[in-house]
Amino acid sequence: MKLKKLVAAIGMTFALTAHASDLPVIDAVLTAPPMVPPPITRDHAAKVVVKMETVEKVMEIADGVEYMFWTFGGSVPGQFLRIREGDEVEFHLSNHPSSKMPHNIDLHAVNGPGGGAAASFTAPGHTSVFNFKALHPGLYVYHCATAPVGMHIANGMYGLVLVEPKEGLPKVDKEYYVMQGDFYTQGAYGEQGFQSFDMDKAIKEDADYVLFNGAVGALTGDKSLTANVGETVRLFVGNGGPNLASSFHVIGEIFDRVTVEGGTLENHNVQTSLIPAGGALMAEFKVDVPGNFIMVDHSIFRAFNKGALGMINVDGPEDKVIYSGKVAENVYLPEGSAVQSIPNDRPKLVATSKDDQMLFGKRVYEANCQACHQAEGNGIPGAFPPLAKSDFLNADTTRAIDVVIHGLKGPIKVNGATYDSIMPAMSLSDEDTANVLTYVLNSWDNNGKVITPKDVEQRRKDGKAIIMEGSAH
């Protein structure tokens, strides 16, 4: 063996044995979001071996929009790590050979310089090993701290590590992992194709996307979180930033218990909780009634215009005492503004076929309509009418155009159920209106009609807001 290799081997052996102890050795269980490893049941400390890999990969940040993410474990946020107070951790960080950049990891759960950043600086195709002891229980962020640090975090390099207290956490029925991050792309929100990181926007903190779990729709539709009536849910919520604080809120729920900033201080009966960039919290609540509960950053334009929206679908029997349909007047009414236009020199793509209209219309729907009418067009009973197999929609497509561009007030009956609220006029272009209506009319067993921009232009001239008989607004 050459002298250089021998020295390296001796150094590695020393690194692995410098903190050797009599503790039992176990491999860490790492999970991709939104799942978390099972609660720790052992009553003693252990030496926990963690093997995590950094991977640079192209994934969709929104439907039809690709982005080069830098990840821990191939997901955004990175893998969830669960250890116990007093555990000694042997951390192996490997940087995939295909990476273009060196990476490292700064674990906020570590007492030591850089949180392990200097010790874990790793070139592509290499593995670094370091050790630490989990001294303080709590929920902590980890992130890449390689320069430029902000760029590494903005590309998705963050995640959570839970240090359970020695006595463990109170038992709950469901646990999930949600983490917010802000993203800066050269194109505007929803602009299709591959989008690169925009450093100027990042410096100005002018985010195009504010997301839960790294993508628009990562926690909606068939990816929604689930629970049953009567169950207690614990959310491990982090904020990777790099810039924006989060006003985390679940519409229709009150947190029974929140660990402030992921530490030992508890707050109770909380509606919205602030999470700083690089911070976290644990929120617990019992679900009392069925329905769709929407998670948002309550800096609300981020939710409905930049993607910070997820759902918890709760099944089970209704309790009319806790929540009655007769309080529909108090239903949450999100603002219906469309994506704001941002000047750019790129030519706007125009739909030239029905297939194009379906593709572009789906994106408009997801950005502007899905929060209320749901991913599969089923609406929310008592609040927002369904668009799937909708007799009201299919009966009059001209009226449908007027509803979108001029708005509607008053009671309507859809598939036998009455809805009494307001559909605000949408600030959409003629083409976006035609595309989204064509998408809706050709989805979910609707009548299959096609709406053209010229149809919309005509109704913009001839149509008006629809006020239904009996409107109290």
Side-chain angles (χ1 to χ4, degrees):
M1 181 180 292
K2 293 182 178 179
L3 178 60
K4 190 174 181 180
K5 290 185 177 179
L6 178 61
V7 170
I10 293 173
M12 179 62 76
T13 300
F14 178 77
L16 293 173
T17 59
H19 300 275
S21 68
D22 294 329
L23 295 176
V25 179
I26 61 174
D27 291 328
V29 176
L30 301 172
T31 59
M35 308 313 292
V36 299
I40 294 173
T41 57
R42 55 187 161 83
D43 60 0
H44 55 82
K47 179 177 180 179
V48 182
V49 178
V50 179
K51 295 183 179 179
M52 189 176 286
E53 180 185 46
T54 59
V55 181
E56 300 170 5
K57 60 190 294 190
V58 175
M59 298 187 289
E60 281 200 335
I61 195 170
D63 189 20
V65 184
E66 293 185 327
Y67 188 79
M68 173 60 82
F69 290 93
W70 298 349
T71 74
F72 288 102
S75 63
V76 178
Q79 293 160 307
F80 193 103
L81 171 61
R82 190 170 198 156
I83 54 180
R84 181 182 181 274
E85 179 185 3
D87 281 348
E88 296 180 11
V89 178
E90 182 180 291
F91 202 105
H92 299 239
L93 183 68
S94 299
N95 191 352
H96 194 277
S98 64
S99 295
K100 305 299 182 185
M101 300 289 293
H103 298 294
N104 63 7
I105 189 166
D106 171 359
L107 295 126
H108 291 186
V110 169
N111 291 84
S120 62
F121 184 84
T122 308
H126 290 73
T127 298
S128 298
V129 183
F130 66 104
N131 300 276
F132 71 91
K133 184 172 183 177
L135 299 177
H136 302 284
L139 183 63
Y140 300 95
V141 167
Y142 67 78
H143 62 84
C144 186
T146 300
V149 178
M151 182 178 180
H152 284 249
I153 297 174
N155 284 340
M157 297 199 78
Y158 49 76
L160 289 179
V161 51
L162 171 66
V163 181
E164 282 203 30
K166 292 179 179 177
E167 66 275 18
L169 295 175
K171 186 178 179 181
V172 296
D173 299 293
K174 296 282 176 60
E175 293 183 327
Y176 292 112
Y177 172 23
V178 178
M179 198 157 184
Q180 182 170 318
D182 31 289
F183 293 85
Y184 306 83
T185 55
Q186 291 191 345
Y189 177 91
E191 188 168 324
Q192 64 186 347
F194 181 83
Q195 296 296 330
S196 301
F197 172 72
D198 191 313
M199 180 64 90
D200 288 338
K201 288 182 181 179
I203 293 172
K204 295 174 183 174
E205 302 185 7
D206 181 16
D208 296 282
Y209 295 85
V210 181
L211 302 173
F212 294 144
N213 289 7
V216 176
L219 294 172
T220 63
D222 59 4
K223 300 176 183 175
S224 299
L225 308 183
T226 61
N228 296 310
V229 169
E231 290 185 329
T232 300
V233 177
R234 175 181 291 132
L235 298 178
F236 298 102
V237 188
N239 182 13
N243 290 319
L244 305 179
S246 173
S247 301
F248 186 73
H249 177 76
V250 176
I251 299 173
E253 264 302 340
I254 298 167
F255 303 140
D256 300 325
R257 186 176 83 99
V258 172
T259 61
V260 179
E261 297 180 359
T264 53
L265 177 65
E266 291 186 3
N267 205 348
H268 297 269
N269 303 322
V270 177
Q271 56 185 312
T272 302
S273 196
L274 283 171
I275 313 174
L281 60 77
M282 288 180 277
E284 297 172 10
F285 52 95
K286 179 183 176 184
V287 286
D288 300 299
V289 294
N292 298 316
F293 296 82
I294 303 175
M295 298 179 287
V296 297
D297 179 337
H298 216 298
S299 296
I300 209 69
F301 279 101
R302 299 176 187 171
F304 295 104
N305 296 78
K306 296 189 176 185
L309 186 150
M311 290 188 181
I312 306 172
N313 293 334
V314 179
D315 289 328
E318 294 190 2
D319 186 331
K320 295 291 187 180
V321 174
I322 294 177
Y323 182 77
S324 167
K326 290 185 179 180
V327 293
E329 291 86 356
N330 292 331
V331 71
Y332 178 71
L333 183 62
E335 297 182 21
S337 61
V339 176
Q340 301 298 308
S341 62
I342 298 177
N344 64 74
D345 296 330
R346 300 186 178 198
K348 180 177 176 58
L349 293 177
V350 176
T352 58
S353 66
K354 183 179 175 181
D355 287 343
D356 285 349
Q357 284 196 281
M358 291 293 289
L359 177 63
F360 299 161
K362 182 181 181 185
R363 293 168 184 159
V364 176
Y365 182 85
E366 290 173 342
N368 298 279
C369 316
Q370 182 170 297
C372 298
H373 296 290
Q374 305 294 285
E376 299 301 322
N378 294 320
I380 297 177
F384 304 110
L387 300 179
K389 301 179 183 178
S390 168
D391 54 1
F392 183 84
L393 170 68
N394 290 303
D396 189 342
T397 51
T398 299
R399 180 178 61 189
I401 299 173
D402 287 346
V403 170
V404 173
I405 63 176
H406 298 299
L408 179 149
K409 299 178 180 179
I412 61 173
K413 182 167 286 190
V414 182
N415 298 344
T418 299
Y419 297 83
D420 186 4
S421 60
I422 298 173
M423 165 72 186
M426 306 291 288
S427 298
L428 296 174
S429 67
D430 291 352
E431 177 161 332
D432 283 345
T433 303
N435 292 342
V436 74
L437 281 169
T438 297
Y439 169 71
V440 170
L441 290 168
N442 287 271
S443 300
W444 315 311
D445 294 328
N446 286 323
N447 62 23
K449 290 188 177 179
V450 172
I451 304 297
T452 68
K454 186 166 289 186
D455 295 332
V456 179
E457 180 184 8
Q458 192 64 45
R459 293 312 301 168
R460 208 176 285 284
K461 294 176 182 175
D462 299 339
K464 61 182 180 181
I466 299 173
I467 301 176
M468 305 300 291
E469 184 177 355
S471 172
H473 301 289

